[in-house]
Amino acid sequence: ITITLQTVPFSPVPRIHLSTSIRRWVRGAFRPNGRAVGTYLLTEGPWVAESPRPNRFALAYLGYNRMLRKVAWTGLGPEEILSHLRLSREFPLPDVLVKEPETWIDGRDGVTAAVTYHTTMPYHAVGVGLGPSERQRLTEWAEKAFLPEFRPAGDLTESELRQTLPLRVLKSLPPVPKKNADPEKIANIAERRAEISADNARLRREHLARTIGDGTALTCHVLYQTEQVRDGLIDAAERSLDLSEYRTADAHPGTWVWRAPEVEVRLHAVPLGALGGPLGGDAPPKRGKEHEKTVAGRRAATRDFLASLEISSQVVFVELEGKDAFKIRTTDPKGAIRLGCADADRVSQFITPEEHRGGDRNADPSPAGEGRDLKHRADAAWADGLRQVGMSFVPQHRLGDAIPERLNQLSFWIVRRNNSGTTRNKQFTPIAVLIRPDQDCIMGRTPDMSAWVPYPELLKGLTGQVRGSDLKTSEQQKAETARFVRQILYAIRGEPTVVLTRAQNMRRSWEWLSNNRIVPDKIQVGNGPVQALALHGRQLRLIRVRDGERDETAQWWAPVDEEIAGISKGLWKPAGAEDGNRLFYATTGKPSTHQERRDETKLTPHPGGMARPIANAWNPTLLEIAVAGCVPGDDPHAWAMYVQHQRFADDYRDALKFPLVLHLAELAHEYALPYGDETQARTEPGTDAAESASGDGDDPE
């Protein structure tokens, strides 16, 4: 149970958020490869004999020490100091704890110790999360402890606006009938599904052609390790764009070509080979300079390999083993391969040969189950590859004249990398993503770009940007963010535009977005004056969203009765919201992959039977939508619904966490790999990769 003190925009009244979750403990021997593992400790008395008062050391970390070549307490924290003192009770020895952690859970030598489970570890018999029914009962139980000094904030009320989804460009497929349905009905639905699939594929082909440029072929490379994944990606391309009847017979071995009326698609498959092996081979590189040097070598090898193929492509699909195959973080070659692809002027999309099933006992282990799983992953990888070349279906709202007809969507995002990863380098890059009503390709921009560029160019431009000394301090970063925001807003000041930002991402560098600063219909950029928003554009709107990170929005469920709660999607208003309210909340339904019952429980029996600890529970994000800036005559309620509509894009199977333009900005973070820029290497594939420079200094955060 976690209790936090929170605030909300436009209100001086603080609130308390209570969140509940499941913490799972490790049972059986384990090895903390590449990741410090938290260990909770509780003692029956003080650690040090004759201590003036009882001492309790609550949390320590276990990790593999490469210098000692064994598991040890990490860092120089209290656990390291205590392990060398003469104590009144025995401090747990790391090498014993990792072999038999369960013997400490019930206490041993006056110490209780429990090692926390992480999802990267092998299977755990307890599933993740708590269901809405159990969370409801826990919160109602805890509520009694707060009364009468604190009272519940009140239930959210459903928006009176019609709760509709946006207009779809791609049509939904009718559901597959049950096996015992009438054969004629089954045949009719199958025929209808085939017709709709063909129409959707034609629309995708047309949209793809406009995105990459009419008359331009989409050329892809597939760097594969298994023929199954290679064939799965080929099948995914044919399914997505309905290309089977357009496959040509004159393609060279290892090449597949489809010439559809709208667009030509070319796919070249080449074995990945040694590029997919662990960095450093049998000698894992150390974090820092040694790792950077190893990355530089694999980066250059990837770039040169793609250049040697003598076929230009826009996107590279790479089959690479998942994280489980690279237990030591510094051996994972994914980042180096992505950098090499960017140096070769290509975006990249990765797919694993086999899905990590984790604790899902309900997964089908049969070859047929694996085939279905591969089909799903291949379809997802192909769709993500198309999005990286700039193709996305923008949701079309149903709000009529409440929203301008020709509206730009603009998002700001701070791409930030600190030195907690395998490289010591850091990155701080403000970016902007733009969706224009008359432009089929998503556009992007960074401070060093003089104009908007297609989305794939934005992604490739983010690789290798090491933060310089001019962006080392918090004040320098705020100044750079302010300069960039002013530049972008000035460039679009004459066009109807809605700006979308995420509070947790931007407010450190744009303080105006903080709850205690933001004021309706005003704006402050950097250290400038607080001004009317209209001074930056008479048709400018500003909307800030906030999710549940750090429990900043409350955990949420939809009450059914005293025993059962569920999940309900839609737009919501705070309790007691008055006319002119600017604050709204939005939820989505459960994802298509979630099959558990709404009353599934872990700790207590549910009305339908016993508790099922194995069940995985999913809960919706309560997305806060603050309509901070409007134009006279606007209805903030309609703009909040517009943001909700933008979470339902046709080319995604489930609703997005953020509206599309913010989602695409967040995805750009995957390309923020600060290993040093290699401008020469990008123009001259035969040159050697330069060793990157290390960042220095502390992050302002």
Side-chain angles (χ1 to χ4, degrees):
I1 297 176
T2 303
I3 299 172
T4 58
L5 182 67
Q6 305 287 350
T7 60
V8 294
F10 318 129
S11 172
V13 181
R15 58 183 60 195
I16 290 173
H17 285 176
L18 183 143
S19 65
T20 54
S21 59
I22 286 286
R23 173 168 286 135
R24 298 177 289 175
W25 308 116
V26 174
R27 184 180 183 88
F30 71 98
R31 182 179 175 84
N33 287 313
R35 180 186 293 274
V37 180
T39 304
Y40 285 78
L41 301 110
L42 181 67
T43 67
E44 297 174 357
W47 283 109
V48 182
E50 302 180 359
S51 175
R53 60 180 181 274
N55 295 316
R56 191 182 86 175
F57 179 51
L59 181 61
Y61 288 93
L62 286 169
Y64 184 76
N65 188 310
R66 294 186 61 191
M67 293 183 63
L68 300 177
R69 296 186 178 182
K70 65 177 184 178
V71 177
W73 298 111
T74 62
L76 295 174
E79 68 276 13
E80 178 69 15
I81 297 171
L82 288 173
S83 64
H84 294 291
L85 294 178
R86 295 181 61 185
L87 304 177
S88 61
R89 59 199 73 256
E90 183 180 349
F91 199 82
L93 298 175
D95 54 347
V96 176
L97 195 57
V98 298
K99 292 178 181 178
E100 42 188 66
E102 66 274 10
T103 64
W104 294 83
I105 290 180
D106 294 324
R108 177 174 172 178
D109 301 324
V111 178
T112 300
V115 181
T116 54
Y117 174 82
H118 192 274
T119 53
T120 59
M121 296 179 180
Y123 168 80
H124 198 291
V126 176
V128 298
L130 287 171
S133 294
E134 203 150 54
R135 181 165 282 133
Q136 177 186 20
R137 293 197 288 274
L138 282 167
T139 304
E140 290 173 348
W141 165 78
E143 178 185 323
K144 299 173 185 177
F146 288 100
L147 295 173
E149 289 83 0
F150 299 92
R151 60 179 176 81
D155 293 339
L156 301 178
T157 58
E158 191 172 11
S159 166
E160 60 268 20
L161 291 180
R162 187 181 176 190
Q163 300 276 5
T164 59
L165 295 177
L167 293 168
R168 292 185 62 88
V169 176
L170 305 178
K171 297 180 181 178
S172 299
L173 297 176
V176 177
K178 297 181 180 179
K179 292 181 180 180
N180 57 356
D182 179 62
E184 184 177 353
K185 180 180 179 181
I186 294 176
N188 290 337
I189 290 181
E191 182 179 355
R192 180 59 180 153
R193 287 174 65 91
E195 292 174 355
I196 293 176
S197 295
D199 289 341
N200 288 344
R202 176 182 52 81
L203 292 171
R204 289 192 190 96
R205 295 195 303 265
E206 292 174 352
H207 192 24
L208 176 60
R210 294 192 300 268
T211 298
I212 63 176
D214 291 326
T216 303
L218 174 67
T219 306
C220 315
H221 275 106
V222 175
L223 306 184
Y224 68 93
Q225 292 180 305
T226 63
E227 294 183 355
Q228 291 86 348
V229 170
R230 179 201 64 187
D231 295 343
L233 284 169
I234 294 169
D235 293 342
E238 289 195 337
R239 280 193 299 271
S240 172
L241 303 175
D242 195 19
L243 296 172
S244 56
E245 64 177 294
Y246 302 113
R247 185 187 288 193
T248 64
D250 57 348
H252 298 291
T255 298
W256 287 259
V257 179
W258 300 269
R259 294 191 178 96
E262 301 83 4
V263 66
E264 179 177 319
V265 178
R266 305 179 67 87
L267 192 151
H268 305 275
V270 184
L272 178 63
L275 292 177
L279 295 178
D282 296 332
K286 296 179 181 179
R287 180 177 177 267
K289 283 291 186 181
E290 183 178 330
H291 179 249
E292 292 172 16
K293 185 176 181 179
T294 308
V295 167
R298 186 66 57 88
R299 174 181 184 174
T302 303
R303 179 201 65 216
D304 294 343
F305 176 73
L306 290 172
S308 70
L309 298 177
E310 298 181 352
I311 298 173
S312 179
S313 59
Q314 293 102 318
V315 59
V316 179
F317 294 91
V318 183
E319 178 190 356
L320 189 66
E321 296 284 346
K323 291 182 178 180
D324 289 348
F326 307 104
K327 297 295 186 181
I328 300 176
R329 292 176 64 190
T330 56
T331 64
D332 191 341
K334 181 177 179 179
I337 295 173
R338 190 184 290 282
L339 286 162
C341 291
D343 291 341
D345 199 27
R346 295 160 171 89
V347 292
S348 51
Q349 176 61 40
F350 292 82
I351 180 172
T352 56
E354 183 177 358
E355 179 69 9
H356 174 62
R357 298 182 185 275
D360 186 4
R361 281 185 176 174
N362 299 318
D364 185 354
S366 67
E370 171 59 23
R372 288 193 296 270
D373 178 68
L374 175 58
K375 176 180 178 296
H376 167 68
R377 287 182 290 114
D379 287 342
W382 177 259
D384 287 340
L386 293 184
R387 281 188 280 272
Q388 289 194 48
V389 299
M391 173 182 161
S392 284
F393 286 91
V394 181
Q396 304 299 309
H397 67 84
R398 297 174 181 260
L399 298 166
D401 295 338
I403 306 297
E405 182 177 355
R406 298 183 59 78
L407 178 70
N408 293 329
Q409 294 185 55
L410 172 66
S411 66
F412 289 107
W413 193 272
I414 300 296
V415 175
R416 182 186 287 108
R417 290 273 188 177
N418 298 326
N419 66 348
S420 58
T422 53
T423 172
R424 291 195 183 100
N425 294 332
K426 306 176 184 181
Q427 181 171 355
F428 178 89
T429 309
I431 68 170
V433 174
L434 177 65
I435 297 177
R436 277 198 169 110
D438 56 350
Q439 210 159 22
D440 291 295
C441 184
I442 308 299
M443 307 298 285
R445 194 165 172 178
T446 63
D448 59 354
M449 294 177 179
S450 59
W452 294 99
V453 299
Y455 186 66
E457 299 303 316
L458 170 70
L459 298 180
K460 290 178 287 187
L462 287 173
T463 60
Q465 290 202 21
V466 178
R467 191 190 75 192
S469 59
D470 58 334
L471 292 175
K472 179 178 177 180
T473 69
S474 175
E475 291 305 315
Q476 290 172 329
Q477 293 177 8
K478 292 174 185 177
E480 174 71 355
T481 302
R483 184 185 70 81
F484 183 61
V485 169
R486 289 193 192 97
Q487 178 188 29
I488 297 300
L489 294 183
Y490 183 81
I492 59 169
R493 62 185 297 116
E495 307 172 26
T497 302
V498 57
V499 175
L500 291 136
T501 64
R502 179 187 179 228
Q504 288 102 324
N505 174 260
M506 287 291 299
R507 66 189 174 206
R508 251 182 288 169
S509 303
W510 190 1
E511 293 180 319
W512 174 252
L513 297 175
S514 302
N515 289 341
N516 63 334
R517 301 281 293 273
I518 197 167
V519 177
D521 301 330
K522 301 287 186 179
I523 190 172
Q524 182 183 31
V525 182
N527 294 324
V530 177
Q531 301 173 309
L533 182 64
L535 292 177
H536 289 266
R538 294 186 178 276
Q539 301 181 77
L540 182 65
R541 284 91 174 171
L542 176 61
I543 298 176
R544 193 202 75 174
V545 302
R546 188 165 59 143
D547 63 344
E549 185 179 294
R550 299 176 181 173
D551 294 326
E552 292 192 31
T553 61
Q555 289 181 332
W556 186 88
W557 59 86
V560 177
D561 54 37
E562 293 183 359
E563 292 292 331
I564 298 176
I567 295 169
S568 182
K569 64 182 178 183
L571 185 68
W572 310 83
K573 298 188 299 183
E578 301 176 350
D579 292 343
N581 170 60
R582 298 291 188 99
L583 195 65
F584 302 87
Y585 294 91
T587 56
T588 62
K590 68 180 182 181
S592 56
T593 55
H594 184 73
Q595 305 296 329
E596 300 297 332
R597 296 169 48 176
R598 68 182 180 184
D599 58 344
E600 203 74 78
T601 61
K602 287 189 170 71
L603 308 177
T604 57
H606 58 72
M610 296 299 293
R612 294 183 64 243
I614 190 176
N616 289 322
W618 177 88
N619 290 274
T621 294
L622 187 64
L623 187 70
E624 181 186 87
I625 303 173
V627 185
C630 289
V631 170
D634 278 353
D635 178 8
H637 203 160
W639 280 100
M641 182 63 80
Y642 175 80
V643 172
Q644 173 74 338
H645 279 178
Q646 293 303 308
R647 301 172 71 189
F648 296 88
D650 280 13
D651 47 340
Y652 286 88
R653 184 167 61 168
D654 297 311
L656 301 172
K657 183 178 181 180
F658 300 122
L660 178 63
V661 70
L662 265 180
H663 174 75
L664 294 172
E666 182 186 31
L667 289 181
H669 189 270
E670 295 179 4
Y671 280 79
L673 301 167
Y675 285 93
D677 196 5
E678 291 182 295
T679 306
Q680 185 181 22
R682 294 187 187 191
T683 56
E684 300 178 20
T687 59
D688 293 330
E691 184 175 351
S692 57
S694 292
D696 57 357
D698 296 326
D699 280 331
E701 60 272 18

